[in-house]
Amino acid sequence: MKKNENYVDKANNIGTSTTYARKRMMTYFQFSLIAIIFVIVFAVIYFVAGGSDEGIDYSDVDLIQFEEPSDDTPVVVYETDYGTFKAVLYPDEAPEYCSYFTSLVESGYYDGTYIFAVQDDIYFMAGSKTSDGTDDDDTNTDECDAEKSADLWPFYGSIAAYGNAKSAFNSQIQAGSRNLFIGSIEFDEDTIEQLDSASDNTMLNDAFKQKGGVPNFSQQYTIFAQVYDGFDAYDELMSLEVVKPAEDDEDDDANLTPKEAVTFNKVYMSTYGENKNSEFFSLDESAATETDSQEDSDS
């Protein structure tokens, strides 16, 4: 799994910019210089350690993304020039969006759609009919209500629905046809320390440490799928060279569009029974025990 050396500059805060002069929509993310401790405290303390949003109890987390699915669980397969990757869907947790997304896939909507924004190792955005993320006459502009679950988190390889909301920290972000494919910040000693101090939910904390992810995005988006196979291809897409890297930009017009046009050649539905990879679905529970034991001995 690739990590971004400049993750503090890239994953500390997230914003969206909409350019109305270019057809109807242009979307890309920018990261500010706010300390990552702020983001982790904001995203994890509120939503895990007793926070409440729309009646969800975030202290009761079941990490279903690392439980092996049943054979009939829906899977979406992405074929690209960089290889193929696969993701399991969660229709029980995000029923409206999964139904919407599945109908688009089955209609062939995503075949030939573009990856239109890349923040090295942190995320890439895809599913646009145009290479720069703008709408055209073929763009599906329907949106679903936000569906957030205490059991779905922005771990490495998770896929979230992206709509037209302007604020990333907006509990009512809707879900549209474009998608956010999530990578990972670097969990160095300082980040781990802040993560542990932000929440006493050790199961969730340890999952982020083991699997990677972007805690900043916690409970901000409709997460509806988890990549579990084909990470070689996924990593390649996560690190595509862009027109103007964000770390070299000092204004608000960072262009994160890939230098070369990259599309999903074919996207289709299948089932987990036809695309098994049991190696992904595990968490090292002993790691948490060893960490706790070490902390006890140090004290």
Side-chain angles (χ1 to χ4, degrees), residues 24-50:
R24 284 175 287 177
M25 174 183 166
M26 171 67 178
T27 307
Y28 56 81
F29 285 175
Q30 301 168 358
F31 288 92
S32 75
L33 301 180
I34 298 175
I36 195 166
I37 180 174
F38 168 81
V39 181
I40 292 179
V41 169
F42 180 90
V44 181
I45 278 189
Y46 182 79
F47 292 112
V48 179

mmCIF file with all atom_site columns, all heavy atoms in Angstrom, residues 24-50:
data_model
loop_
_atom_site.group_PDB
_atom_site.id
_atom_site.type_symbol
_atom_site.label_atom_id
_atom_site.label_alt_id
_atom_site.label_comp_id
_atom_site.label_asym_id
_atom_site.label_entity_id
_atom_site.label_seq_id
_atom_site.pdbx_PDB_ins_code
_atom_site.Cartn_x
_atom_site.Cartn_y
_atom_site.Cartn_z
_atom_site.occupancy
_atom_site.B_iso_or_equiv
_atom_site.pdbx_formal_charge
_atom_site.auth_seq_id
_atom_site.auth_comp_id
_atom_site.auth_asym_id
_atom_site.auth_atom_id
_atom_site.pdbx_PDB_model_num
ATOM 1   N N   . ARG A 1 24 ? -21.752 22.820 -16.000 1.00 0.00 ? 24 ARG A N   1
ATOM 2   C CA  . ARG A 1 24 ? -22.498 22.910 -14.759 1.00 0.00 ? 24 ARG A CA  1
ATOM 3   C C   . ARG A 1 24 ? -21.700 22.564 -13.519 1.00 0.00 ? 24 ARG A C   1
ATOM 4   O O   . ARG A 1 24 ? -22.095 22.917 -12.422 1.00 0.00 ? 24 ARG A O   1
ATOM 5   C CB  . ARG A 1 24 ? -23.735 22.004 -14.838 1.00 0.00 ? 24 ARG A CB  1
ATOM 6   C CG  . ARG A 1 24 ? -24.833 22.576 -15.689 1.00 0.00 ? 24 ARG A CG  1
ATOM 7   C CD  . ARG A 1 24 ? -25.974 21.608 -15.841 1.00 0.00 ? 24 ARG A CD  1
ATOM 8   N NE  . ARG A 1 24 ? -25.634 20.499 -16.731 1.00 0.00 ? 24 ARG A NE  1
ATOM 9   C CZ  . ARG A 1 24 ? -26.438 19.485 -16.980 1.00 0.00 ? 24 ARG A CZ  1
ATOM 10  N NH1 . ARG A 1 24 ? -27.586 19.408 -16.388 1.00 0.00 ? 24 ARG A NH1 1
ATOM 11  N NH2 . ARG A 1 24 ? -26.070 18.536 -17.803 1.00 0.00 ? 24 ARG A NH2 1
ATOM 12  N N   . MET A 1 25 ? -20.612 21.802 -13.681 1.00 0.00 ? 25 MET A N   1
ATOM 13  C CA  . MET A 1 25 ? -19.910 21.405 -12.468 1.00 0.00 ? 25 MET A CA  1
ATOM 14  C C   . MET A 1 25 ? -18.477 21.024 -12.736 1.00 0.00 ? 25 MET A C   1
ATOM 15  O O   . MET A 1 25 ? -18.194 20.314 -13.663 1.00 0.00 ? 25 MET A O   1
ATOM 16  C CB  . MET A 1 25 ? -20.628 20.206 -11.821 1.00 0.00 ? 25 MET A CB  1
ATOM 17  C CG  . MET A 1 25 ? -19.883 19.640 -10.625 1.00 0.00 ? 25 MET A CG  1
ATOM 18  S SD  . MET A 1 25 ? -20.710 18.192 -9.958  1.00 0.00 ? 25 MET A SD  1
ATOM 19  C CE  . MET A 1 25 ? -19.404 17.554 -8.922  1.00 0.00 ? 25 MET A CE  1
ATOM 20  N N   . MET A 1 26 ? -17.570 21.518 -11.898 1.00 0.00 ? 26 MET A N   1
ATOM 21  C CA  . MET A 1 26 ? -16.173 21.084 -11.902 1.00 0.00 ? 26 MET A CA  1
ATOM 22  C C   . MET A 1 26 ? -15.807 20.823 -10.457 1.00 0.00 ? 26 MET A C   1
ATOM 23  O O   . MET A 1 26 ? -15.977 21.699 -9.622  1.00 0.00 ? 26 MET A O   1
ATOM 24  C CB  . MET A 1 26 ? -15.270 22.170 -12.485 1.00 0.00 ? 26 MET A CB  1
ATOM 25  C CG  . MET A 1 26 ? -13.774 21.888 -12.330 1.00 0.00 ? 26 MET A CG  1
ATOM 26  S SD  . MET A 1 26 ? -13.231 20.494 -13.305 1.00 0.00 ? 26 MET A SD  1
ATOM 27  C CE  . MET A 1 26 ? -11.484 20.513 -12.932 1.00 0.00 ? 26 MET A CE  1
ATOM 28  N N   . THR A 1 27 ? -15.354 19.622 -10.165 1.00 0.00 ? 27 THR A N   1
ATOM 29  C CA  . THR A 1 27 ? -15.118 19.275 -8.773  1.00 0.00 ? 27 THR A CA  1
ATOM 30  C C   . THR A 1 27 ? -13.722 18.742 -8.572  1.00 0.00 ? 27 THR A C   1
ATOM 31  O O   . THR A 1 27 ? -13.264 17.912 -9.327  1.00 0.00 ? 27 THR A O   1
ATOM 32  C CB  . THR A 1 27 ? -16.108 18.182 -8.308  1.00 0.00 ? 27 THR A CB  1
ATOM 33  O OG1 . THR A 1 27 ? -17.424 18.617 -8.593  1.00 0.00 ? 27 THR A OG1 1
ATOM 34  C CG2 . THR A 1 27 ? -15.976 17.936 -6.820  1.00 0.00 ? 27 THR A CG2 1
ATOM 35  N N   . TYR A 1 28 ? -13.037 19.262 -7.561  1.00 0.00 ? 28 TYR A N   1
ATOM 36  C CA  . TYR A 1 28 ? -11.800 18.659 -7.110  1.00 0.00 ? 28 TYR A CA  1
ATOM 37  C C   . TYR A 1 28 ? -11.605 19.007 -5.643  1.00 0.00 ? 28 TYR A C   1
ATOM 38  O O   . TYR A 1 28 ? -12.232 19.914 -5.121  1.00 0.00 ? 28 TYR A O   1
ATOM 39  C CB  . TYR A 1 28 ? -10.592 19.104 -7.941  1.00 0.00 ? 28 TYR A CB  1
ATOM 40  C CG  . TYR A 1 28 ? -10.390 20.590 -8.009  1.00 0.00 ? 28 TYR A CG  1
ATOM 41  C CD1 . TYR A 1 28 ? -9.760  21.276 -6.975  1.00 0.00 ? 28 TYR A CD1 1
ATOM 42  C CD2 . TYR A 1 28 ? -10.828 21.285 -9.127  1.00 0.00 ? 28 TYR A CD2 1
ATOM 43  C CE1 . TYR A 1 28 ? -9.566  22.629 -7.044  1.00 0.00 ? 28 TYR A CE1 1
ATOM 44  C CE2 . TYR A 1 28 ? -10.641 22.655 -9.196  1.00 0.00 ? 28 TYR A CE2 1
ATOM 45  C CZ  . TYR A 1 28 ? -10.010 23.319 -8.155  1.00 0.00 ? 28 TYR A CZ  1
ATOM 46  O OH  . TYR A 1 28 ? -9.834  24.654 -8.237  1.00 0.00 ? 28 TYR A OH  1
ATOM 47  N N   . PHE A 1 29 ? -10.730 18.273 -4.968  1.00 0.00 ? 29 PHE A N   1
ATOM 48  C CA  . PHE A 1 29 ? -10.499 18.468 -3.552  1.00 0.00 ? 29 PHE A CA  1
ATOM 49  C C   . PHE A 1 29 ? -9.210  19.236 -3.340  1.00 0.00 ? 29 PHE A C   1
ATOM 50  O O   . PHE A 1 29 ? -8.264  19.097 -4.101  1.00 0.00 ? 29 PHE A O   1
ATOM 51  C CB  . PHE A 1 29 ? -10.368 17.125 -2.836  1.00 0.00 ? 29 PHE A CB  1
ATOM 52  C CG  . PHE A 1 29 ? -11.662 16.409 -2.637  1.00 0.00 ? 29 PHE A CG  1
ATOM 53  C CD1 . PHE A 1 29 ? -11.655 15.133 -2.098  1.00 0.00 ? 29 PHE A CD1 1
ATOM 54  C CD2 . PHE A 1 29 ? -12.867 16.992 -2.981  1.00 0.00 ? 29 PHE A CD2 1
ATOM 55  C CE1 . PHE A 1 29 ? -12.843 14.466 -1.921  1.00 0.00 ? 29 PHE A CE1 1
ATOM 56  C CE2 . PHE A 1 29 ? -14.052 16.325 -2.798  1.00 0.00 ? 29 PHE A CE2 1
ATOM 57  C CZ  . PHE A 1 29 ? -14.047 15.056 -2.265  1.00 0.00 ? 29 PHE A CZ  1
ATOM 58  N N   . GLN A 1 30 ? -9.205  20.004 -2.254  1.00 0.00 ? 30 GLN A N   1
ATOM 59  C CA  . GLN A 1 30 ? -7.992  20.697 -1.841  1.00 0.00 ? 30 GLN A CA  1
ATOM 60  C C   . GLN A 1 30 ? -7.827  20.448 -0.348  1.00 0.00 ? 30 GLN A C   1
ATOM 61  O O   . GLN A 1 30 ? -8.800  20.417 0.381   1.00 0.00 ? 30 GLN A O   1
ATOM 62  C CB  . GLN A 1 30 ? -8.102  22.200 -2.090  1.00 0.00 ? 30 GLN A CB  1
ATOM 63  C CG  . GLN A 1 30 ? -8.344  22.537 -3.548  1.00 0.00 ? 30 GLN A CG  1
ATOM 64  C CD  . GLN A 1 30 ? -8.724  23.990 -3.716  1.00 0.00 ? 30 GLN A CD  1
ATOM 65  O OE1 . GLN A 1 30 ? -8.840  24.719 -2.752  1.00 0.00 ? 30 GLN A OE1 1
ATOM 66  N NE2 . GLN A 1 30 ? -8.919  24.399 -4.949  1.00 0.00 ? 30 GLN A NE2 1
ATOM 67  N N   . PHE A 1 31 ? -6.574  20.297 0.088   1.00 0.00 ? 31 PHE A N   1
ATOM 68  C CA  . PHE A 1 31 ? -6.292  20.075 1.498   1.00 0.00 ? 31 PHE A CA  1
ATOM 69  C C   . PHE A 1 31 ? -5.591  21.288 2.081   1.00 0.00 ? 31 PHE A C   1
ATOM 70  O O   . PHE A 1 31 ? -4.641  21.804 1.508   1.00 0.00 ? 31 PHE A O   1
ATOM 71  C CB  . PHE A 1 31 ? -5.399  18.844 1.681   1.00 0.00 ? 31 PHE A CB  1
ATOM 72  C CG  . PHE A 1 31 ? -6.120  17.567 1.415   1.00 0.00 ? 31 PHE A CG  1
ATOM 73  C CD1 . PHE A 1 31 ? -6.102  16.998 0.159   1.00 0.00 ? 31 PHE A CD1 1
ATOM 74  C CD2 . PHE A 1 31 ? -6.841  16.954 2.408   1.00 0.00 ? 31 PHE A CD2 1
ATOM 75  C CE1 . PHE A 1 31 ? -6.784  15.835 -0.100  1.00 0.00 ? 31 PHE A CE1 1
ATOM 76  C CE2 . PHE A 1 31 ? -7.519  15.792 2.157   1.00 0.00 ? 31 PHE A CE2 1
ATOM 77  C CZ  . PHE A 1 31 ? -7.494  15.231 0.903   1.00 0.00 ? 31 PHE A CZ  1
ATOM 78  N N   . SER A 1 32 ? -6.059  21.758 3.245   1.00 0.00 ? 32 SER A N   1
ATOM 79  C CA  . SER A 1 32 ? -5.454  22.916 3.893   1.00 0.00 ? 32 SER A CA  1
ATOM 80  C C   . SER A 1 32 ? -4.343  22.469 4.828   1.00 0.00 ? 32 SER A C   1
ATOM 81  O O   . SER A 1 32 ? -4.031  21.287 4.925   1.00 0.00 ? 32 SER A O   1
ATOM 82  C CB  . SER A 1 32 ? -6.520  23.687 4.681   1.00 0.00 ? 32 SER A CB  1
ATOM 83  O OG  . SER A 1 32 ? -6.828  22.982 5.868   1.00 0.00 ? 32 SER A OG  1
ATOM 84  N N   . LEU A 1 33 ? -3.766  23.425 5.548   1.00 0.00 ? 33 LEU A N   1
ATOM 85  C CA  . LEU A 1 33 ? -2.644  23.129 6.424   1.00 0.00 ? 33 LEU A CA  1
ATOM 86  C C   . LEU A 1 33 ? -3.067  22.965 7.878   1.00 0.00 ? 33 LEU A C   1
ATOM 87  O O   . LEU A 1 33 ? -2.233  23.000 8.772   1.00 0.00 ? 33 LEU A O   1
ATOM 88  C CB  . LEU A 1 33 ? -1.593  24.247 6.315   1.00 0.00 ? 33 LEU A CB  1
ATOM 89  C CG  . LEU A 1 33 ? -1.033  24.459 4.912   1.00 0.00 ? 33 LEU A CG  1
ATOM 90  C CD1 . LEU A 1 33 ? -0.016  25.587 4.925   1.00 0.00 ? 33 LEU A CD1 1
ATOM 91  C CD2 . LEU A 1 33 ? -0.390  23.179 4.391   1.00 0.00 ? 33 LEU A CD2 1
ATOM 92  N N   . ILE A 1 34 ? -4.353  22.795 8.133   1.00 0.00 ? 34 ILE A N   1
ATOM 93  C CA  . ILE A 1 34 ? -4.813  22.575 9.500   1.00 0.00 ? 34 ILE A CA  1
ATOM 94  C C   . ILE A 1 34 ? -4.183  21.293 10.027  1.00 0.00 ? 34 ILE A C   1
ATOM 95  O O   . ILE A 1 34 ? -4.102  20.295 9.335   1.00 0.00 ? 34 ILE A O   1
ATOM 96  C CB  . ILE A 1 34 ? -6.343  22.463 9.543   1.00 0.00 ? 34 ILE A CB  1
ATOM 97  C CG1 . ILE A 1 34 ? -6.970  23.769 9.073   1.00 0.00 ? 34 ILE A CG1 1
ATOM 98  C CG2 . ILE A 1 34 ? -6.826  22.137 10.945  1.00 0.00 ? 34 ILE A CG2 1
ATOM 99  C CD1 . ILE A 1 34 ? -8.465  23.729 8.965   1.00 0.00 ? 34 ILE A CD1 1
ATOM 100 N N   . ALA A 1 35 ? -3.745  21.310 11.281  1.00 0.00 ? 35 ALA A N   1
ATOM 101 C CA  . ALA A 1 35 ? -3.071  20.139 11.863  1.00 0.00 ? 35 ALA A CA  1
ATOM 102 C C   . ALA A 1 35 ? -3.985  18.938 11.855  1.00 0.00 ? 35 ALA A C   1
ATOM 103 O O   . ALA A 1 35 ? -5.183  19.047 12.084  1.00 0.00 ? 35 ALA A O   1
ATOM 104 C CB  . ALA A 1 35 ? -2.634  20.441 13.294  1.00 0.00 ? 35 ALA A CB  1
ATOM 105 N N   . ILE A 1 36 ? -3.432  17.776 11.586  1.00 0.00 ? 36 ILE A N   1
ATOM 106 C CA  . ILE A 1 36 ? -4.246  16.567 11.477  1.00 0.00 ? 36 ILE A CA  1
ATOM 107 C C   . ILE A 1 36 ? -4.914  16.209 12.793  1.00 0.00 ? 36 ILE A C   1
ATOM 108 O O   . ILE A 1 36 ? -5.949  15.559 12.820  1.00 0.00 ? 36 ILE A O   1
ATOM 109 C CB  . ILE A 1 36 ? -3.414  15.382 10.964  1.00 0.00 ? 36 ILE A CB  1
ATOM 110 C CG1 . ILE A 1 36 ? -4.349  14.254 10.519  1.00 0.00 ? 36 ILE A CG1 1
ATOM 111 C CG2 . ILE A 1 36 ? -2.441  14.892 12.019  1.00 0.00 ? 36 ILE A CG2 1
ATOM 112 C CD1 . ILE A 1 36 ? -3.649  13.211 9.709   1.00 0.00 ? 36 ILE A CD1 1
ATOM 113 N N   . ILE A 1 37 ? -4.350  16.661 13.904  1.00 0.00 ? 37 ILE A N   1
ATOM 114 C CA  . ILE A 1 37 ? -4.997  16.386 15.186  1.00 0.00 ? 37 ILE A CA  1
ATOM 115 C C   . ILE A 1 37 ? -6.395  16.971 15.210  1.00 0.00 ? 37 ILE A C   1
ATOM 116 O O   . ILE A 1 37 ? -7.320  16.372 15.753  1.00 0.00 ? 37 ILE A O   1
ATOM 117 C CB  . ILE A 1 37 ? -4.168  16.947 16.358  1.00 0.00 ? 37 ILE A CB  1
ATOM 118 C CG1 . ILE A 1 37 ? -4.875  16.649 17.690  1.00 0.00 ? 37 ILE A CG1 1
ATOM 119 C CG2 . ILE A 1 37 ? -3.925  18.426 16.213  1.00 0.00 ? 37 ILE A CG2 1
ATOM 120 C CD1 . ILE A 1 37 ? -4.054  17.052 18.892  1.00 0.00 ? 37 ILE A CD1 1
ATOM 121 N N   . PHE A 1 38 ? -6.587  18.144 14.594  1.00 0.00 ? 38 PHE A N   1
ATOM 122 C CA  . PHE A 1 38 ? -7.910  18.761 14.561  1.00 0.00 ? 38 PHE A CA  1
ATOM 123 C C   . PHE A 1 38 ? -8.896  17.877 13.822  1.00 0.00 ? 38 PHE A C   1
ATOM 124 O O   . PHE A 1 38 ? -10.022 17.682 14.252  1.00 0.00 ? 38 PHE A O   1
ATOM 125 C CB  . PHE A 1 38 ? -7.840  20.126 13.883  1.00 0.00 ? 38 PHE A CB  1
ATOM 126 C CG  . PHE A 1 38 ? -9.195  20.698 13.566  1.00 0.00 ? 38 PHE A CG  1
ATOM 127 C CD1 . PHE A 1 38 ? -9.931  21.338 14.537  1.00 0.00 ? 38 PHE A CD1 1
ATOM 128 C CD2 . PHE A 1 38 ? -9.736  20.566 12.299  1.00 0.00 ? 38 PHE A CD2 1
ATOM 129 C CE1 . PHE A 1 38 ? -11.189 21.842 14.248  1.00 0.00 ? 38 PHE A CE1 1
ATOM 130 C CE2 . PHE A 1 38 ? -10.980 21.067 12.000  1.00 0.00 ? 38 PHE A CE2 1
ATOM 131 C CZ  . PHE A 1 38 ? -11.709 21.714 12.984  1.00 0.00 ? 38 PHE A CZ  1
ATOM 132 N N   . VAL A 1 39 ? -8.466  17.358 12.687  1.00 0.00 ? 39 VAL A N   1
ATOM 133 C CA  . VAL A 1 39 ? -9.365  16.556 11.871  1.00 0.00 ? 39 VAL A CA  1
ATOM 134 C C   . VAL A 1 39 ? -9.734  15.270 12.584  1.00 0.00 ? 39 VAL A C   1
ATOM 135 O O   . VAL A 1 39 ? -10.883 14.850 12.595  1.00 0.00 ? 39 VAL A O   1
ATOM 136 C CB  . VAL A 1 39 ? -8.715  16.253 10.510  1.00 0.00 ? 39 VAL A CB  1
ATOM 137 C CG1 . VAL A 1 39 ? -9.661  15.426 9.656   1.00 0.00 ? 39 VAL A CG1 1
ATOM 138 C CG2 . VAL A 1 39 ? -8.386  17.553 9.802   1.00 0.00 ? 39 VAL A CG2 1
ATOM 139 N N   . ILE A 1 40 ? -8.747  14.624 13.187  1.00 0.00 ? 40 ILE A N   1
ATOM 140 C CA  . ILE A 1 40 ? -9.027  13.365 13.868  1.00 0.00 ? 40 ILE A CA  1
ATOM 141 C C   . ILE A 1 40 ? -9.955  13.597 15.048  1.00 0.00 ? 40 ILE A C   1
ATOM 142 O O   . ILE A 1 40 ? -10.900 12.845 15.270  1.00 0.00 ? 40 ILE A O   1
ATOM 143 C CB  . ILE A 1 40 ? -7.720  12.691 14.313  1.00 0.00 ? 40 ILE A CB  1
ATOM 144 C CG1 . ILE A 1 40 ? -6.938  12.234 13.085  1.00 0.00 ? 40 ILE A CG1 1
ATOM 145 C CG2 . ILE A 1 40 ? -7.988  11.526 15.236  1.00 0.00 ? 40 ILE A CG2 1
ATOM 146 C CD1 . ILE A 1 40 ? -5.633  11.571 13.393  1.00 0.00 ? 40 ILE A CD1 1
ATOM 147 N N   . VAL A 1 41 ? -9.704  14.668 15.809  1.00 0.00 ? 41 VAL A N   1
ATOM 148 C CA  . VAL A 1 41 ? -10.574 14.952 16.942  1.00 0.00 ? 41 VAL A CA  1
ATOM 149 C C   . VAL A 1 41 ? -11.983 15.243 16.444  1.00 0.00 ? 41 VAL A C   1
ATOM 150 O O   . VAL A 1 41 ? -12.966 14.756 16.989  1.00 0.00 ? 41 VAL A O   1
ATOM 151 C CB  . VAL A 1 41 ? -10.039 16.148 17.754  1.00 0.00 ? 41 VAL A CB  1
ATOM 152 C CG1 . VAL A 1 41 ? -11.076 16.616 18.755  1.00 0.00 ? 41 VAL A CG1 1
ATOM 153 C CG2 . VAL A 1 41 ? -8.768  15.752 18.483  1.00 0.00 ? 41 VAL A CG2 1
ATOM 154 N N   . PHE A 1 42 ? -12.085 16.022 15.380  1.00 0.00 ? 42 PHE A N   1
ATOM 155 C CA  . PHE A 1 42 ? -13.392 16.369 14.826  1.00 0.00 ? 42 PHE A CA  1
ATOM 156 C C   . PHE A 1 42 ? -14.123 15.131 14.324  1.00 0.00 ? 42 PHE A C   1
ATOM 157 O O   . PHE A 1 42 ? -15.294 14.919 14.623  1.00 0.00 ? 42 PHE A O   1
ATOM 158 C CB  . PHE A 1 42 ? -13.222 17.361 13.666  1.00 0.00 ? 42 PHE A CB  1
ATOM 159 C CG  . PHE A 1 42 ? -14.518 17.782 13.042  1.00 0.00 ? 42 PHE A CG  1
ATOM 160 C CD1 . PHE A 1 42 ? -15.202 18.886 13.516  1.00 0.00 ? 42 PHE A CD1 1
ATOM 161 C CD2 . PHE A 1 42 ? -15.059 17.073 11.984  1.00 0.00 ? 42 PHE A CD2 1
ATOM 162 C CE1 . PHE A 1 42 ? -16.397 19.266 12.945  1.00 0.00 ? 42 PHE A CE1 1
ATOM 163 C CE2 . PHE A 1 42 ? -16.252 17.450 11.404  1.00 0.00 ? 42 PHE A CE2 1
ATOM 164 C CZ  . PHE A 1 42 ? -16.920 18.562 11.887  1.00 0.00 ? 42 PHE A CZ  1
ATOM 165 N N   . ALA A 1 43 ? -13.418 14.319 13.555  1.00 0.00 ? 43 ALA A N   1
ATOM 166 C CA  . ALA A 1 43 ? -14.079 13.201 12.879  1.00 0.00 ? 43 ALA A CA  1
ATOM 167 C C   . ALA A 1 43 ? -14.281 12.007 13.786  1.00 0.00 ? 43 ALA A C   1
ATOM 168 O O   . ALA A 1 43 ? -15.276 11.315 13.675  1.00 0.00 ? 43 ALA A O   1
ATOM 169 C CB  . ALA A 1 43 ? -13.267 12.770 11.656  1.00 0.00 ? 43 ALA A CB  1
ATOM 170 N N   . VAL A 1 44 ? -13.330 11.732 14.675  1.00 0.00 ? 44 VAL A N   1
ATOM 171 C CA  . VAL A 1 44 ? -13.392 10.500 15.445  1.00 0.00 ? 44 VAL A CA  1
ATOM 172 C C   . VAL A 1 44 ? -14.048 10.681 16.799  1.00 0.00 ? 44 VAL A C   1
ATOM 173 O O   . VAL A 1 44 ? -14.889 9.890  17.192  1.00 0.00 ? 44 VAL A O   1
ATOM 174 C CB  . VAL A 1 44 ? -11.991 9.888  15.612  1.00 0.00 ? 44 VAL A CB  1
ATOM 175 C CG1 . VAL A 1 44 ? -12.060 8.595  16.391  1.00 0.00 ? 44 VAL A CG1 1
ATOM 176 C CG2 . VAL A 1 44 ? -11.360 9.641  14.249  1.00 0.00 ? 44 VAL A CG2 1
ATOM 177 N N   . ILE A 1 45 ? -13.688 11.748 17.527  1.00 0.00 ? 45 ILE A N   1
ATOM 178 C CA  . ILE A 1 45 ? -14.292 11.923 18.845  1.00 0.00 ? 45 ILE A CA  1
ATOM 179 C C   . ILE A 1 45 ? -15.804 12.073 18.723  1.00 0.00 ? 45 ILE A C   1
ATOM 180 O O   . ILE A 1 45 ? -16.566 11.417 19.405  1.00 0.00 ? 45 ILE A O   1
ATOM 181 C CB  . ILE A 1 45 ? -13.717 13.156 19.572  1.00 0.00 ? 45 ILE A CB  1
ATOM 182 C CG1 . ILE A 1 45 ? -12.390 12.796 20.219  1.00 0.00 ? 45 ILE A CG1 1
ATOM 183 C CG2 . ILE A 1 45 ? -14.661 13.653 20.637  1.00 0.00 ? 45 ILE A CG2 1
ATOM 184 C CD1 . ILE A 1 45 ? -11.840 13.858 21.118  1.00 0.00 ? 45 ILE A CD1 1
ATOM 185 N N   . TYR A 1 46 ? -16.234 12.942 17.830  1.00 0.00 ? 46 TYR A N   1
ATOM 186 C CA  . TYR A 1 46 ? -17.656 13.224 17.741  1.00 0.00 ? 46 TYR A CA  1
ATOM 187 C C   . TYR A 1 46 ? -18.457 12.016 17.301  1.00 0.00 ? 46 TYR A C   1
ATOM 188 O O   . TYR A 1 46 ? -19.506 11.701 17.845  1.00 0.00 ? 46 TYR A O   1
ATOM 189 C CB  . TYR A 1 46 ? -17.922 14.371 16.767  1.00 0.00 ? 46 TYR A CB  1
ATOM 190 C CG  . TYR A 1 46 ? -19.382 14.725 16.674  1.00 0.00 ? 46 TYR A CG  1
ATOM 191 C CD1 . TYR A 1 46 ? -19.987 15.496 17.659  1.00 0.00 ? 46 TYR A CD1 1
ATOM 192 C CD2 . TYR A 1 46 ? -20.163 14.262 15.621  1.00 0.00 ? 46 TYR A CD2 1
ATOM 193 C CE1 . TYR A 1 46 ? -21.336 15.805 17.583  1.00 0.00 ? 46 TYR A CE1 1
ATOM 194 C CE2 . TYR A 1 46 ? -21.501 14.567 15.542  1.00 0.00 ? 46 TYR A CE2 1
ATOM 195 C CZ  . TYR A 1 46 ? -22.082 15.349 16.525  1.00 0.00 ? 46 TYR A CZ  1
ATOM 196 O OH  . TYR A 1 46 ? -23.418 15.655 16.464  1.00 0.00 ? 46 TYR A OH  1
ATOM 197 N N   . PHE A 1 47 ? -17.926 11.302 16.318  1.00 0.00 ? 47 PHE A N   1
ATOM 198 C CA  . PHE A 1 47 ? -18.709 10.229 15.727  1.00 0.00 ? 47 PHE A CA  1
ATOM 199 C C   . PHE A 1 47 ? -18.506 8.879  16.405  1.00 0.00 ? 47 PHE A C   1
ATOM 200 O O   . PHE A 1 47 ? -19.268 7.956  16.169  1.00 0.00 ? 47 PHE A O   1
ATOM 201 C CB  . PHE A 1 47 ? -18.388 10.111 14.238  1.00 0.00 ? 47 PHE A CB  1
ATOM 202 C CG  . PHE A 1 47 ? -18.877 11.287 13.459  1.00 0.00 ? 47 PHE A CG  1
ATOM 203 C CD1 . PHE A 1 47 ? -17.988 12.170 12.885  1.00 0.00 ? 47 PHE A CD1 1
ATOM 204 C CD2 . PHE A 1 47 ? -20.220 11.522 13.316  1.00 0.00 ? 47 PHE A CD2 1
ATOM 205 C CE1 . PHE A 1 47 ? -18.444 13.264 12.172  1.00 0.00 ? 47 PHE A CE1 1
ATOM 206 C CE2 . PHE A 1 47 ? -20.686 12.606 12.605  1.00 0.00 ? 47 PHE A CE2 1
ATOM 207 C CZ  . PHE A 1 47 ? -19.794 13.483 12.032  1.00 0.00 ? 47 PHE A CZ  1
ATOM 208 N N   . VAL A 1 48 ? -17.468 8.745  17.219  1.00 0.00 ? 48 VAL A N   1
ATOM 209 C CA  . VAL A 1 48 ? -17.225 7.451  17.856  1.00 0.00 ? 48 VAL A CA  1
ATOM 210 C C   . VAL A 1 48 ? -17.429 7.524  19.348  1.00 0.00 ? 48 VAL A C   1
ATOM 211 O O   . VAL A 1 48 ? -18.135 6.716  19.936  1.00 0.00 ? 48 VAL A O   1
ATOM 212 C CB  . VAL A 1 48 ? -15.792 6.961  17.560  1.00 0.00 ? 48 VAL A CB  1
ATOM 213 C CG1 . VAL A 1 48 ? -15.550 5.639  18.245  1.00 0.00 ? 48 VAL A CG1 1
ATOM 214 C CG2 . VAL A 1 48 ? -15.583 6.816  16.070  1.00 0.00 ? 48 VAL A CG2 1
ATOM 215 N N   . ALA A 1 49 ? -16.830 8.511  19.997  1.00 0.00 ? 49 ALA A N   1
ATOM 216 C CA  . ALA A 1 49 ? -16.857 8.549  21.454  1.00 0.00 ? 49 ALA A CA  1
ATOM 217 C C   . ALA A 1 49 ? -18.076 9.296  21.973  1.00 0.00 ? 49 ALA A C   1
ATOM 218 O O   . ALA A 1 49 ? -17.974 10.328 22.624  1.00 0.00 ? 49 ALA A O   1
ATOM 219 C CB  . ALA A 1 49 ? -15.579 9.200  21.971  1.00 0.00 ? 49 ALA A CB  1
ATOM 220 N N   . GLY A 1 50 ? -19.245 8.766  21.637  1.00 0.00 ? 50 GLY A N   1
ATOM 221 C CA  . GLY A 1 50 ? -20.465 9.306  22.203  1.00 0.00 ? 50 GLY A CA  1
ATOM 222 C C   . GLY A 1 50 ? -21.194 10.285 21.316  1.00 0.00 ? 50 GLY A C   1
ATOM 223 O O   . GLY A 1 50 ? -22.267 10.740 21.676  1.00 0.00 ? 50 GLY A O   1
#
